[in-house]
Amino acid sequence: MPYFAGPADGTQLHYVDYGPADGPVAVFVNSAYLGTEMWEFQMLPLAAEGYRCVGLDRRGHGRSDDVWNGYDLDTLADDLYGLLDHLDLSAVTLIGHSLGSAEIVRCLTRHGSGRAARVALVAGITPGVARTVDNPDGWDPAVMRAGNAAFLRDRAAFFNDPDALRDFFALHRPGNDVSPAYVRYLSDRCLVSTARASSAVQETIVTLDVAPELAKLELPLLVLHGTHDVSAPLETTGRRAAALATDATLKVYENGGHGLFVTHAEQLTADLREFMTG
């Protein structure tokens, strides 16, 4: 299986590389807790159409090494850039979901945009979900940390909470049909991320604020966000991110939740395809 050494500390990081080597390149950056498997409804059809689809398992996630350190946003961004450098990729479309959106923004502001052509943020948590002076409607950081402590007491219960899973996919909204088997599969995949990695990235999310960095991006930005995303509310994340960036397009998915990569899979794949070829 393909691995490379994380530039900060040599952590062995797993990645997938689908499709023709000479195709237009899309690099997928995952949500917290999940590995590259989350993108199957986007990566497989796009790779079959001739795109080169690359995905990185974040440290402590998927098949990458379980390590203690490196879950701060700078190191995660360095890991992402390390993959681009390892494969010598250029003119890349960077596609990030949830936490992955922030890793992309930090990667670009930390390492420059020389290897990237455009960015797509899918249900991103950028600019940040915690309450700040510039984001007064965000969540109370103290409440978020209390939730993280409860999470550590029983991760299995957290990932299998039926109400949380319903909200993640917005299953109560029309048209969002996801089989119970797939819901169980994805919750099981979340448990593959280690206890250390899961709790550490949660703390990173509490302190995350990339609003100033979004304003500095000089690449075309496509923001794809659902109306019923309770993990990253549209008004404080997607809409705000699009307003901060200088060259952004916002596409709002009616009834879409945080798991729109499943419930709105065909629409998302089509929008990404159009963005990459436009």
Side-chain angles (χ1 to χ4, degrees):
M1 293 186 290
Y3 287 86
F4 73 101
D9 55 10
T11 296
Q12 290 297 295
L13 301 172
H14 173 262
Y15 65 94
V16 297
D17 192 349
Y18 296 157
D22 59 350
V25 184
V27 173
F28 291 81
V29 189
N30 314 326
S31 171
Y33 320 128
L34 290 169
T36 53
E37 69 279 345
M38 67 167 286
W39 295 108
E40 64 176 291
F41 303 119
Q42 287 73 50
M43 293 184 75
L44 296 185
L46 288 172
E49 294 168 16
Y51 293 88
R52 183 179 181 182
C53 295
V54 177
L56 172 66
D57 282 346
R58 183 184 295 107
R59 56 179 58 217
H61 292 61
R63 286 171 280 185
S64 290
D65 277 0
D66 177 16
V67 293
W68 182 255
N69 293 317
Y71 299 101
D72 59 284
L73 194 57
D74 281 352
T75 303
L76 296 175
D78 290 350
D79 287 344
L80 173 57
Y81 188 78
L83 174 65
L84 304 182
D85 192 54
H86 174 72
L87 295 176
D88 193 22
L89 301 177
S90 59
V92 169
T93 300
L94 292 166
I95 303 166
H97 180 267
S98 195
L99 174 60
S101 66
E103 289 167 276
I104 287 172
V105 172
R106 179 60 55 84
C107 178
L108 292 172
T109 56
R110 190 167 166 84
H111 295 282
S113 57
R115 292 189 176 275
R118 60 191 68 82
V119 176
L121 307 182
V122 180
I125 63 170
T126 51
V129 293
R131 183 182 304 158
T132 64
V133 172
D134 296 326
N135 186 29
D137 295 324
W139 298 327
D140 183 343
V143 173
M144 294 174 69
R145 288 192 170 97
N148 295 350
F151 163 83
L152 272 177
R153 287 194 291 271
D154 195 338
R155 291 190 308 132
F158 176 88
F159 287 129
N160 286 282
D161 182 291
D163 293 332
L165 290 168
R166 179 201 63 200
D167 289 343
F168 182 85
F169 293 107
L171 295 178
H172 56 296
R173 302 301 302 173
N176 292 347
D177 298 321
V178 183
S179 71
Y182 185 86
V183 172
R184 177 61 184 272
Y185 161 74
L186 205 68
S187 64
D188 286 347
R189 293 304 302 170
C190 287
L191 282 165
V192 173
S193 63
T194 68
R196 168 58 182 167
S198 299
S199 60
V201 297
Q202 285 189 341
E203 180 56 31
T204 295
I205 291 169
V206 173
T207 60
L208 188 149
D209 181 7
V210 295
E213 295 167 68
L214 271 167
K216 296 177 182 177
L217 293 186
E218 299 178 347
L219 300 175
L221 179 70
L222 177 62
V223 180
L224 305 149
H225 219 97
T227 57
H228 287 74
D229 191 330
V230 300
S231 300
L234 172 62
E235 296 303 320
T236 55
T237 55
R239 199 177 299 281
R240 189 164 156 248
L244 284 166
T246 58
D247 184 11
T249 300
L250 172 65
K251 288 196 173 185
V252 177
Y253 287 19
E254 189 64 32
N255 296 318
H258 208 50
L260 58 78
F261 57 93
V262 180
T263 59
H264 294 65
E266 292 185 4
Q267 181 182 353
L268 175 58
T269 302
D271 285 339
L272 292 174
R273 182 190 300 111
E274 181 182 11
F275 183 53
M276 287 189 286
T277 58

